[in-house]
């Protein structure tokens, strides 16, 4: 059965050359993603694979580089970081209209909302998921980038300056309206950037719902969505994780139905403390990185909002307008956090 964005016969032939699949293949869109499109591929024997490709149109090439994402996941296969095994990458758009890559399916649960957190994880598993999430992030930041072949992935120095320039440029390219609060925060963060320590792999979108968990234990089975990964300042990952880590009583939740508001998960403060203890890094400037995380996420969501509005994700209802409102809320929170950080 076909779905938008997949040419069934060419993709079936491509997979048959690289994996043990039994046609016919069924393709189903995995809901929840905000950028690249993800499909579950199921063959006639029930074997499952995962295919990733860019949006249908409105693509910013640097943010949707399938070959780069495939390279990163493949390079981490032998590191102490759980990633799905890769099947292959195709750069020729003639197969299905865009480059794509395929991974093995990893069994487990992706906790995208509070209901899933309550029903699929018990309180002990929620605590363990919180702890393992932090420990996996620490191990990612300990990976020797040269040893795994990623030393040339990006420049290592001036990460924040590069990120501020990159996302400001993409905001200007993708925005459909004036957003003065994001312009103001960009100027404030650019004027006073913390000194960067040794560069590490930076995931770029590390959060609970980008992980596959073992529901029985809470252990992280795989880290997903490596499209924004680069080299740079590891505290940017911790700052963005704090942005996503909702708590009861928060008035701004980037994940609108945040799973971490459920009892049992660590608090934001406990997450930061565990990271500091396990990594040995000073997190005294964390508010800067949190402000940067709010601002970066607002820039990303403005691009998502624009693509939804233009039909890049196919037919949809008007629910995407919530992205537009969230951009403004995140911008205000970025401004408040930057002020708290002294910027």
């Amino acid at each position: 059965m076909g779905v938008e964005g997949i040419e069934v016969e060419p993709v079936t032939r491509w997979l048959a050359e690289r994996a043990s699949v039994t046609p016919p293949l069924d393709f189903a869109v995995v809901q929840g993603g905000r950028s690249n499109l993800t499909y579950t591929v199921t063959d006639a024997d029930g074997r499952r694979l995962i295919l990733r490709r860019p949006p249908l149109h409105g693509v910013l090439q640097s943010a949707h580089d399938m070959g780069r994402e495939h390279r990163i996941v493949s390079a981490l296969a032998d590191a102490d970081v759980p990633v799905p095994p890769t099947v292959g990458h195709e750069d020729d758009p003639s197969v299905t209209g865009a480059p794509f890559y395929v991974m093995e399916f990893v069994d487990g649960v992706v906790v995208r909302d509070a209901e899933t957190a309550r029903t699929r994880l018990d309180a002990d598993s929620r605590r363990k998921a919180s702890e393992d999430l932090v420990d996996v992030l620490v191990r990612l930041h300990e990976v020797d980038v040269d040893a795994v072949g990623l030393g040339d992935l990006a420049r290592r120095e001036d990460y924040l300056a590069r990120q501020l320039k990159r996302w400001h440029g993409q905001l200007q390219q993708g925005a459909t309206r004036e957003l003065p609060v994001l312009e103001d925060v960009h100027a404030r963060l650019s004027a006073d950037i913390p000194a960067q320590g040794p560069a590490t792999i930076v995931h770029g979108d590390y959060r609970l719902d980008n992980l596959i968990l073992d529901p029985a234990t809470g252990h992280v089975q795989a880290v997903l969505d490596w499209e924004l990964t680069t080299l740079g300042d590891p505290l940017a990952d911790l700052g963005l994780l704090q942005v996503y880590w909702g708590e009861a009583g928060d008035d701004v939740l980037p994940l609108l139905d945040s799973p971490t508001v459920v009892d049992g998960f660590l608090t934001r403060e406990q997450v930061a403390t565990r990271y500091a203890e396990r990594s040995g890094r000073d997190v005294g400037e964390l508010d800067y990185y949190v402000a940067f995380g709010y601002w970066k996420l607002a820039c990303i969501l403005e691009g998502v909002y624009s693509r939804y509005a233009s039909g890049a994700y196919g037919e949809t209802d008007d629910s995407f307008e919530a992205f537009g409102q969230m951009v403004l809320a995140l911008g205000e929170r970025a401004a408040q956090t930057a002020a708290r950080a002294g910027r």
Side-chain angles (χ1 to χ4, degrees):
M1 179 178 180
V3 296
E4 197 170 18
I6 297 293
E7 295 291 337
V8 174
E9 291 186 6
V11 174
T12 298
R13 288 195 297 270
W14 187 94
L15 278 170
E17 294 172 358
R18 294 163 178 81
S20 298
V21 295
T22 304
L25 305 183
D26 179 75
F27 297 85
V29 177
V30 177
Q31 300 300 321
R34 293 173 174 172
S35 186
N36 291 324
L37 293 170
T38 302
Y39 303 82
T40 300
V41 185
T42 307
D43 79 354
D45 295 328
R47 182 187 178 186
R48 289 178 288 180
L49 300 168
I50 296 294
L51 184 150
R52 298 255 295 166
R53 59 149 291 163
L56 302 179
H57 56 81
V59 173
L60 297 171
Q61 184 174 358
S62 63
H64 306 285
D65 188 337
M66 295 292 97
R68 189 173 187 275
E69 189 173 344
H70 175 264
R71 175 192 174 191
I72 292 163
V73 176
S74 299
L76 292 172
D78 295 325
D80 192 17
V81 178
V83 293
T86 56
V87 172
H89 163 250
E90 180 54 64
D91 199 44
D92 185 352
S94 69
V95 178
T96 195
F100 65 93
Y101 78 97
V102 177
M103 303 174 284
E104 298 285 351
F105 179 87
V106 176
D107 199 15
V109 59
V110 177
V111 182
R112 300 192 187 279
D113 52 57
E115 181 64 17
T116 303
R118 290 189 191 97
T119 59
R120 299 299 304 277
L121 303 175
D122 62 22
D124 186 63
S125 294
R126 291 175 213 139
R127 176 189 57 79
K128 184 57 185 177
S130 305
E131 294 171 345
D132 206 31
L133 169 147
V134 175
D135 296 348
V136 168
L137 184 61
V138 170
R139 297 203 303 271
L140 174 63
H141 293 162
E142 290 174 344
V143 169
D144 184 327
V145 296
D146 295 307
V148 299
L150 295 176
D152 63 346
L153 184 67
R155 288 173 51 195
R156 305 188 191 198
E157 67 279 359
D158 300 325
Y159 169 81
L160 288 167
R162 289 187 285 115
Q163 285 283 295
L164 285 161
K165 180 179 180 180
R166 174 190 178 183
W167 291 108
H168 187 243
Q170 295 208 353
L171 175 66
Q172 292 180 316
Q173 182 178 346
T176 58
R177 53 188 173 160
E178 296 295 321
L179 295 165
V181 66
L182 297 187
E183 296 293 339
D184 178 62
V185 172
H186 173 260
R188 292 161 67 180
L189 295 179
S190 298
D192 191 10
I193 298 174
Q196 177 182 308
T200 72
I201 294 174
V202 178
H203 181 278
D205 199 18
Y206 193 81
R207 61 184 200 250
L208 182 64
D209 67 317
N210 273 340
L211 308 177
I212 299 174
L213 304 178
D214 179 341
T217 65
H219 284 287
V220 177
Q221 302 294 94
V223 182
L224 308 174
D225 288 6
W226 296 87
E227 64 203 76
L228 299 179
T229 300
T230 187
L231 305 181
D233 193 329
L235 292 181
D237 274 339
L238 182 61
L240 187 60
L241 180 59
Q242 296 274 300
V243 167
Y244 282 119
W245 202 266
E247 294 181 352
D250 286 351
D251 59 351
V252 176
L253 291 171
L255 301 177
L256 298 177
D257 188 8
S258 177
T260 54
V261 302
V262 178
D263 290 343
F265 288 102
L266 299 183
T267 65
R268 281 191 292 265
E269 182 177 357
Q270 289 171 327
V271 166
T273 298
R274 186 178 181 91
Y275 179 88
E277 292 173 347
R278 296 301 176 100
S279 68
R281 291 189 174 87
D282 181 0
V283 298
E285 290 265 28
L286 186 56
D287 274 343
Y288 178 97
Y289 295 91
V290 174
F292 170 71
Y294 278 121
W295 177 83
K296 171 185 166 181
L297 182 56
C299 293
I300 292 172
L301 291 189
E302 181 64 18
V304 175
Y305 171 74
S306 299
R307 288 192 292 276
Y308 267 116
S310 67
Y313 294 114
E315 292 185 12
T316 184
D317 56 24
D318 292 334
S319 62
F320 72 88
E321 292 292 346
F323 285 117
Q325 294 301 315
M326 181 57 71
V327 169
L328 301 176
L330 291 172
E332 292 298 333
R333 184 53 59 87
Q336 295 164 8
T337 311
R340 188 168 66 242
R343 267 73 182 184

